[in-house]
Amino acid sequence: MEIKIIPCLSDNYSYLIFDKNKKNACVIDPSESEPIIEMIEKNQLNLKYILNTHHHYDHVGGNEKLKKRYNSKVVGYKNDKDRIPEIDILVENDQIWKAENFEAKIYHIPGHTTGHIAFHFFKEKKIFTGDTLFSLGCGRIFEGTYEQMYNSLNKIKELPKDTEIYCGHEYTLQNGNFCLANDSTNLKLIEKITKIKKQRDNNLPSIPTILADEIECNVFLKAKDLKSFSKLRDLKDNF
């Protein structure tokens, strides 16, 4: 499975995943259609599926145009069927979604929104976490509760430690500054931020990140209980 990281809007990432042999593709969270179309045409791919982690416009903005152009099927969480544009295939928690050569386990991970899901391509050890888990951060709590977000992050934390995490935004340096302010003696964190600064200086994405690194460096994953997590989330909102 090949993955193309596609910068969209000001700081979003969409992901094009495809089978090199059959040229069939899925796009995850198309913020807008134009950059996705450009990448599809360049690689001569067949866009079969559009996978949405949640209903926010900066993750579904390209659904309509892409579906119309490529006759793709839109996949999203069953309880968000009235909020995800053009949705065709409804998935639920712990379901294995399988189509063509693609196979992913669906995790319902509410907090940022009530209907947020992740797509875990477990055979390839890659998970697309939308706006729940970021590199060195986690999403704002808009619709859910602190407890839901804390539990959602702990669900991801239980995956194999070499899992690659692909998230919805390039927020890593800003997140890193917050982590450093709350975990200033963490040498692994300092090393990770130094590496990320070099990547960003060269206009390279800081994504993917590895779960093992996040467990060591991301203060939200290091929170020992709901109370300390909630305090960190409040501090980050005002950082």
Side-chain angles (χ1 to χ4, degrees):
M1 189 172 86
E2 294 284 311
I3 300 179
K4 297 285 185 187
I5 301 174
I6 307 174
C8 293
L9 304 177
S10 61
D11 55 30
N12 278 74
Y13 285 134
S14 297
Y15 300 99
L16 198 62
I17 62 174
F18 60 95
D19 175 339
K20 269 201 303 189
N21 297 322
K22 291 189 175 180
K23 295 286 192 176
N24 290 331
C26 303
V27 65
I28 294 155
D29 286 351
S31 310
E32 52 183 336
S33 58
E34 286 76 12
I36 316 298
I37 291 167
E38 188 180 325
M39 190 68 74
I40 289 168
E41 302 301 327
K42 183 180 173 184
N43 290 277
Q44 298 179 305
L45 301 172
N46 309 308
L47 185 65
K48 295 282 191 175
Y49 298 98
I50 298 164
L51 313 182
N52 293 140
T53 62
H54 62 296
H55 75 280
H56 284 164
Y57 185 76
D58 63 329
H59 293 256
V60 302
N63 279 20
E64 194 174 344
K65 280 187 183 175
L66 291 170
K67 179 177 176 175
K68 189 174 180 182
R69 184 177 179 124
Y70 298 107
N71 197 30
S72 316
K73 298 288 186 188
V74 176
V75 181
Y77 186 55
K78 63 175 186 177
N79 291 359
D80 268 356
K81 63 182 171 58
D82 298 324
R83 304 203 293 181
I84 291 175
E86 303 291 332
I87 194 165
D88 299 293
I89 298 166
L90 308 180
V91 293
E92 58 189 330
N93 187 47
D94 285 340
Q95 178 183 338
I96 303 293
W97 173 75
K98 196 171 180 178
E100 308 290 338
N101 279 1
F102 305 109
E103 188 172 6
K105 186 168 185 179
I106 308 300
Y107 294 107
H108 180 220
I109 46 171
H112 181 67
T113 69
T114 53
H116 202 300
I117 58 173
F119 293 87
H120 181 211
F121 290 82
F122 49 92
K123 290 179 180 175
E124 292 85 4
K125 294 188 175 179
K126 300 177 195 305
I127 187 168
F128 296 85
T129 57
D131 287 0
T132 297
L133 177 62
F134 295 123
S135 178
L136 300 181
C138 75
R140 283 178 180 265
I141 297 165
F142 285 128
E143 296 176 359
T145 64
Y146 292 96
E147 185 174 14
Q148 283 179 325
M149 181 62 92
Y150 181 64
N151 291 339
S152 293
L153 293 173
N154 281 331
K155 189 185 280 192
I156 297 168
K157 199 174 166 181
E158 293 303 312
L159 297 177
K161 301 301 178 273
D162 56 347
T163 302
E164 288 184 351
I165 295 159
Y166 293 82
C167 58
H169 292 268
E170 183 55 74
Y171 289 163
T172 313
L173 277 181
Q174 181 189 350
N175 289 339
N177 291 335
F178 178 75
C179 286
L180 207 52
N182 290 277
D183 193 13
S184 59
T185 59
N186 186 332
L187 296 178
K188 179 79 177 176
L189 172 61
I190 293 164
E191 181 187 315
K192 185 172 174 71
I193 291 170
T194 303
K195 180 187 170 188
I196 288 159
K197 280 180 178 171
K198 286 179 184 171
Q199 288 173 309
R200 297 305 297 146
D201 285 345
N202 290 306
N203 207 30
L204 295 171
S206 64
I207 308 306
T209 182
I210 305 295
L211 183 57
D213 285 358
E214 294 303 312
I215 289 169
E216 284 191 65
C217 301
N218 186 331
V219 292
F220 294 104
L221 291 190
K222 293 180 76 176
K224 299 287 187 234
D225 52 39
L226 178 58
K227 186 179 177 183
S228 54
F229 168 77
S230 302
K231 185 180 177 183
L232 283 168
R233 189 56 261 178
D234 284 344
L235 286 170
K236 179 65 169 69
D237 286 345
N238 298 294
F239 185 70

